[in-house]
Amino acid sequence: TDNPGSLDVTITGIEFIKWTNAAATGNWNIATDINWKTATGLADTTHSLVIKGAASGTGSAAVFIGANFRRKTTSGVAVHRFGYSGKCLASAFRWGNPSDVGSSATKDQQLASCTSLLGIDLAVLMFDVNDTSDGYTTYGFTPTTLQASIQTVVDKLVAASTDVLLVTGPIKDPTSVTSPYTQAQYDAAYRAVAAATDRCALLDLTAMQNTYADSNADGFYQDYVHPKMQGHSTLARAVHGALVSI
């Protein structure tokens, strides 16, 4: 995550974010190295969001940008989707080397760094499926080290006055698991953190299924883990029920 030299973000010509530490190298510090601004008074029409970096930089860069567009309102729920495919908890929440989970090394965590800026009341975290593959083969996660990493992330979020809902499931085809540990063993790490931490709850989506084979025979899946529309609808109802009850 070397500094690419500069970063400017504008919304319809209004400067929104400007990278201010062009001489620095290494990890970016969201709290001190970037100016955050609120663009108000925009017309209710189409706007242009422009993200501009330097023509050349000192190395590769991981850029994390959140934008919240809303009409004037005094109520309702704003949802920010931070997820992206194929990642596990370490790669999604760590700057620099994600294998430092559970260590004393200080590393900014992307979502945790933005909670106060975006006013996030509840963070919903779902990573267990990828823990059984990339989490082990790329980062060497065991259930023990995974639990330490989850606890670090949850503690950071709770300290920022953000409640946390951990979500596990759905059941993954056991034949596609590349880790020597089972999905249930990884899920137990999430369950332990939720049980031990105030303002943190667990929604176990695997509990609503019997086996992968049974669900697949019922038309739940399109492949080894990704649901079809029927599966998505079933999971969505479960997540909605959990959110309403919080």
Side-chain angles (χ1 to χ4, degrees):
T1 56
D2 290 336
N3 170 29
S6 66
L7 174 67
D8 288 280
V9 180
T10 60
I11 300 177
T12 313
I14 300 175
E15 184 181 275
F16 185 58
I17 299 174
K18 184 175 180 62
W19 173 248
T20 59
N21 194 7
T25 59
N27 296 331
W28 294 9
N29 187 324
I30 286 180
T32 60
D33 292 341
I34 295 180
N35 288 332
W36 294 82
K37 295 186 177 181
T38 300
T40 59
L42 297 173
D44 188 4
T45 186
T46 301
H47 293 279
S48 298
L49 174 65
V50 179
I51 303 171
K52 182 179 180 181
S56 63
T58 60
S60 61
V63 179
F64 179 75
I65 295 175
N68 181 6
F69 298 91
R70 66 175 68 184
R71 292 183 174 89
K72 291 182 179 179
T73 181
T74 57
S75 63
V77 177
V79 177
H80 302 271
R81 184 183 183 276
F82 290 89
Y84 50 107
S85 300
K87 299 300 179 182
C88 62
L89 184 141
S91 59
F93 283 85
R94 293 284 184 176
W95 292 113
N97 180 12
S99 63
D100 283 338
V101 292
S103 74
S104 59
T106 299
K107 294 192 179 297
D108 289 339
Q109 295 164 345
Q110 298 176 27
L111 179 55
S113 299
C114 295
T115 49
S116 60
L117 296 168
L118 295 177
I120 296 175
D121 299 307
L122 174 68
V124 181
L125 309 181
M126 179 179 179
F127 291 92
D128 75 307
V129 168
N130 289 332
D131 294 330
T132 65
S133 51
D134 290 345
Y136 179 79
T137 57
T138 305
Y139 305 114
F141 273 165
T142 67
T144 299
T145 56
L146 176 66
Q147 183 174 331
S149 182
I150 299 167
Q151 191 70 65
T152 297
V153 171
V154 169
D155 287 346
K156 187 84 170 183
L157 290 167
V158 171
S161 299
T162 299
D163 295 330
V164 180
L165 176 62
L166 300 174
V167 182
T168 55
I171 296 175
K172 186 176 184 178
D173 182 355
T175 64
S176 68
V177 173
T178 57
S179 167
Y181 305 97
T182 66
Q183 184 177 2
Q185 286 177 292
Y186 285 117
D187 288 352
Y190 289 86
R191 186 174 293 106
V193 171
T197 310
D198 290 337
R199 302 184 65 174
C200 179
L202 174 74
L203 171 60
D204 183 9
L205 295 177
T206 66
M208 59 192 299
Q209 299 174 267
N210 185 20
T211 64
Y212 168 84
D214 288 344
S215 294
N216 191 40
D218 291 337
F220 188 96
Y221 293 100
Q222 60 177 311
D223 55 22
Y224 64 98
V225 71
H226 300 101
K228 294 180 179 178
M229 183 60 70
Q230 173 186 329
H232 278 299
S233 297
T234 301
L235 298 178
R237 286 192 294 270
V239 173
H240 176 266
L243 295 177
V244 170
S245 67
I246 292 178

